[in-house]
Amino acid sequence: MSGPVQAQYEAYPYPVRDPADEARRLITGSPSFLPEVNHYLFAGRRDFRQPFRALVAGGGTGDGAIQLAQYLQIATQQLGGAQHEVVYLDLSAASRRIAEARAAARGLNNIRFITGSLLDLPQLAPGPYDYIDCCGVLHHLPVPAIGLSILAMQLGPQGGLGLMLYGTLGREGVYPLQAALRQILPEDATPQEKLALTRQLLADLPPLHPFRRNPFLHDHQSGDAGLYDLLLHSQDRSYLVPEIVELLDTCDLEPVAFIEPCRYDPLSYLKDERLREQAAALPLLEQAALAERLCGSLKTHVLYAAPRHRAAACPAWPDDPALIPGLRGLPPAALAAALEKTGKLTVTFEQDRLELPAPEGAGAIVALLDGRRNLGQIAEALGLNWGQFSAAYAPVHALLTGVNKLYLRL
């Protein structure tokens, strides 16, 4: 596996990044956004004054490692305590150089860079790790379960993972083209010749080919690296939700949350009451599989997973008045006003527009989610005892965590 994959990413580091851009923005996203990691894998209770060791297995040009390292450095500056470590591991020296330059541009000194294969992790950078990020890697391994098992064995006793795997339904059209290109591209063609021939093939595709009709595929429009990664990769597979669950099960892992949770909830798509009742009666993972079929646009699956013995305790749930709810990128007053006015929360993912009903009285609670008050203080501000508040807050919590915009922390 490592030979052709390494050659690809030496020639075309992916995704394309310019270290000079670090001066104007930090790329954030799921998984590995630190408040999100804390919420889903540590029930909001992780104390970042204590040492925290993270691995980014397949670090590429650095998005996950830079995001984690920046937030961990801020945590050290704000809270004091231990210096944290992010271990970056990737096959590609070219990708590593870009990631290192990005870290230098930010003055980050908490990343240890290692060039090598995930399969050699126990020798190159053994655990234990509190958190492991592995995005876009397992589906490029000949036997993904072997790679996942190596990661799982390097987790600490309370550790968890953030994963990204390709989604089958949202990548409709990709795999027939990959197979066609393997059939007809000359074996002695250079990477540049392969790219030119692939572009010509795309230009000549019939208008009703599934690839042409798929509105969710954009990587091939972003440049050489994106096109090569999408259609010319030497090892590539995709997953349905049940296949992800099966993969995790081989390593005694369970999914904690798919991101964004509302996209894996069939009630986000079903309006008929009888159908909603049938869907709601299914086990949670069967609900997620049904939602994937109803949605049809999930080209990647982002999820958090943990060892089976602790998975049920991971998701943050408002059972503690000391937990502080914080909104991500949503001003509380404006969101509260919108919920009160429309009675719903409207969100768009790719081209999917979901309208999610808001619980009655949600605006009054949301207006107090300023990231400073804890749940007990919010209950007091509303004049409610803990039991009354919990009943009122639970559906608001479900709505906002469903769109992945609310996290709890101590």
Side-chain angles (χ1 to χ4, degrees), residues 371-395:
R372 296 186 298 272
R373 293 180 177 94
N374 64 33
L375 292 172
Q377 292 166 334
I378 295 172
E380 184 178 351
L382 293 170
L384 301 175
N385 63 40
W386 182 246
Q388 293 169 329
F389 173 72
S390 295
Y393 175 73

Side-chain angles (χ1 to χ4, degrees), residues 52-377:
F52 189 86
R53 190 166 185 242
L55 167 70
V56 181
T61 50
D63 286 1
I66 296 296
Q67 175 181 218
L68 270 173
Q70 183 70 77
Y71 272 88
L72 287 169
Q73 182 167 289
I74 291 170
T76 299
Q77 293 167 349
Q78 292 182 345
L79 302 174
Q83 176 73 35
H84 309 299
E85 181 184 49
V86 176
V87 175
Y88 164 107
L89 176 66
D90 199 275
L91 277 172
S92 167
S95 297
R96 171 179 168 171
R97 285 192 292 271
I98 295 170
E100 286 182 307
R102 293 176 66 186
R106 289 188 165 274
L108 297 172
N109 58 8
N110 55 354
I111 308 179
R112 179 157 65 100
F113 290 92
I114 299 173
T115 301
S117 169
L118 179 161
L119 301 177
D120 297 324
L121 175 63
Q123 293 77 44
L124 294 172
Y129 291 98
D130 299 289
Y131 174 67
I132 295 176
D133 168 302
C134 188
C135 293
V137 177
L138 295 177
H139 51 231
H140 293 318
L141 296 176
V143 186
I146 292 178
L148 183 61
S149 69
I150 290 172
L151 297 179
M153 286 188 288
Q154 301 305 314
L155 280 177
Q158 299 301 313
L161 303 100
L163 305 172
M164 186 278 279
L165 296 160
Y166 288 150
T168 298
L169 300 185
R171 283 168 68 84
E172 185 181 14
V174 168
Y175 296 102
L177 280 190
Q178 285 188 0
L181 287 162
R182 291 189 188 107
Q183 279 186 286
I184 60 174
L185 286 179
E187 291 186 9
D188 59 350
T190 66
Q192 292 76 16
E193 289 171 335
K194 289 181 179 180
L195 285 166
L197 290 168
T198 300
R199 287 196 174 89
Q200 187 58 57
L201 180 145
L202 291 178
D204 296 338
L205 274 184
L208 294 182
H209 190 282
F211 187 89
R212 273 195 182 278
R213 291 188 289 110
N214 189 335
F216 310 113
L217 299 174
H218 311 293
D219 287 3
H220 59 294
Q221 300 167 350
S222 65
D224 289 350
L227 176 58
Y228 209 105
D229 199 68
L230 183 66
L231 294 177
L232 294 169
H233 207 292
S234 60
Q235 182 81 43
D236 181 348
R237 67 152 296 176
S238 61
Y239 287 85
L240 298 168
V241 166
E243 294 169 332
I244 293 176
V245 175
E246 182 180 350
L247 173 65
L248 294 174
D249 188 61
T250 65
C251 302
D252 204 29
L253 298 168
E254 287 187 3
V256 170
F258 286 90
I259 305 300
E260 293 78 10
C262 70
R263 302 185 80 187
Y264 293 85
D265 181 353
L267 301 189
S268 297
Y269 310 101
L270 297 172
K271 306 303 179 187
D272 181 85
E273 281 305 317
R274 289 184 63 190
L275 294 177
R276 288 170 65 88
E277 288 176 8
Q278 290 290 113
L282 295 171
L284 285 177
L285 291 176
E286 290 187 30
Q287 289 187 36
L290 171 60
E292 179 186 22
R293 297 179 188 115
L294 294 173
C295 174
S297 64
L298 294 168
K299 63 181 181 180
T300 61
H301 295 292
V302 174
L303 66 146
Y304 290 100
R308 184 168 288 117
H309 71 271
R310 65 175 297 264
C314 286
W317 180 245
D319 57 353
D320 183 350
L323 289 169
I324 300 169
L327 294 173
R328 178 181 181 180
L330 296 175
L335 177 58
L339 294 176
E340 287 297 308
K341 180 179 179 180
T342 65
K344 61 187 177 184
L345 179 62
T346 302
V347 291
T348 302
F349 304 107
E350 295 286 346
Q351 299 180 32
D352 293 333
R353 178 185 172 93
L354 300 180
E355 294 185 346
L356 308 172
E360 186 176 350
I365 294 175
V366 169
L368 299 174
L369 302 180
D370 57 9
R372 296 186 298 272
R373 293 180 177 94
N374 64 33
L375 292 172
Q377 292 166 334

